[in-house]
Amino acid sequence: MGAGASSMVGPEGYGRGWEQTSLGDMPESCVAAVLLYLDPLEICQVARLNRAFRGAASADCIWAAKLPANHRYLAALAAAADDDCGCDGAAEGNGRCCSSATIKKEKYARLCRPTPFDGGTKEFWIEKDKGGFCMSISSRAMTITGRDDRRYWSHLSTEESRFHSVAYLQQIWWLEVCGEIDFCFPAGSYSLFFRLHLGRPHKCTGRRGHGSESIHGWDIKPTRFQLSTSDDQHTESECYLSKPGRWILYHVGDFVVSSSDEVTELKFSMMQIDCTHTKGGLCVDSVFIFPKDHRYEEECVLC
C-alpha cells in the first residue's frame, strides 16, 4: 500500500504515477469551482501554484461573484473620477472600468483604489480582502456651526488626514456638526464613525504632539452622536471624548441597506450643546462608513 501510494507521487508531490498527471492538469473549470469559495486575497495566492490555477484565478465568473451587487454604478463613478483627474487607459488595476467588457478582475482592482467624488470631499473603495464597501466623508462636506468665524474654527493642513485637511475647534459654547449623503450603497449592514482627535495633530522629530493646554470641556458632559436614514432607521449614542493625541473612531451607530439599486439618504451629526461651559481643542477629520464586520487595525474605536 505504501509503495503503491508513493509511486503515484512524482517530483512535484502530486499525482505523478499511474497516469503521470499532476495538480496542473486539472481543468480550469474545476479549479474555478473551488476558487469561488475563497476570498480575493486567497485567490491571488493560489494563482501562483501553476498555470491552471493562474488561468482560473483570472476568470470573470470568479471575480463577478466578489464584486458588489451594484458594481456597474460604482464603476461608472470611478470612471468619471479617472476622467476628471486625466488618468490614462488600461494598465491592469489602474484602468477605466465603466465598460461592461472590462475584465472583472481589473474592475475589482480598480474599485479597491479610493474613488473621490463630490469635488473630492468624499471617497469610496472596497476592501481588498472581502470586497466590502467603505466610504469616507471629509469635514469640508459637513455643516459646522460657526466654522466661518476664525474665533472658533480654523482649518489645518495635515498628512494625518486622507483629505489632507481637518477642521480645528479652538473654543466654542455650542458644538454642532452635521452631514448627509444620498448614495446607492451595496446591500448589507454598515457602521458609521466620526474620526476625531483631541489637540492639534502634528509631528515633531518623529513624535506626535497634541497641545493639551488647549483641550477643555469634553469631560464635563458627553457628546451626542446621531444617525438616521430615509427608511426610518434611527440610532444615537453618547460618549465622552478622550485620549488626547490619538485619532479615535467614535461609533455613531449601525444601519442596514436592503437594496443595492435604491438611493439611501443618510444623515449624521455630533453635538455638545450644553452652554454652561466652553469646549475646545478638537480636530474633526471625517466620517467613515464601514461594513459592520470590518476589522479595525490601527485606530482606537470607542462607544
Side-chain angles (χ1 to χ4, degrees), residues 207-223:
R207 309 180 102 180
R208 181 181 302 168
H210 55 81
S212 59
E213 71 281 354
S214 64
I215 302 170
H216 64 281
W218 305 109
D219 57 346
I220 300 175
K221 290 291 182 67
T223 299

Side-chain angles (χ1 to χ4, degrees), residues 51-102:
R51 184 178 300 174
F53 276 77
R54 185 162 54 251
S58 297
D60 271 1
C61 63
I62 299 296
W63 293 98
K66 308 303 178 185
L67 286 165
N70 62 344
H71 61 85
R72 292 181 181 84
Y73 166 77
L74 301 177
L77 291 175
D82 291 344
D83 285 341
D84 289 342
C85 74
C87 297
D88 292 329
E92 182 173 350
N94 293 303
R96 297 172 58 186
C97 59
C98 62
S99 170
S100 59
T102 300

Side-chain angles (χ1 to χ4, degrees), residues 146-216:
R147 79 180 306 162
D148 296 327
D149 192 326
R150 294 185 179 179
R151 293 175 300 172
Y152 307 130
W153 291 91
S154 59
H155 293 276
L156 305 179
S157 297
T158 174
E159 60 187 38
E160 295 180 16
S161 167
R162 67 188 303 120
F163 297 102
H164 308 294
S165 174
V166 298
Y168 178 70
L169 173 63
Q170 297 166 115
Q171 179 171 289
I172 206 166
W173 293 91
W174 180 292
L175 172 73
E176 187 170 7
V177 181
C178 303
E180 59 182 86
I181 185 168
D182 299 345
F183 198 85
C184 287
F185 291 89
S189 299
Y190 296 91
S191 297
L192 186 143
F193 303 84
F194 269 92
R195 185 174 187 256
L196 309 174
H197 182 285
L198 287 180
R200 292 174 176 265
H202 63 274
K203 295 180 179 179
C204 182
T205 62
R207 309 180 102 180
R208 181 181 302 168
H210 55 81
S212 59
E213 71 281 354
S214 64
I215 302 170
H216 64 281

Side-chain angles (χ1 to χ4, degrees), residues 4-25:
S6 62
S7 68
M8 296 173 59
V9 179
E12 296 184 3
Y14 291 95
R16 292 299 178 189
W18 294 324
E19 298 184 8
Q20 296 295 302
T21 59
S22 71
L23 194 62
D25 296 320

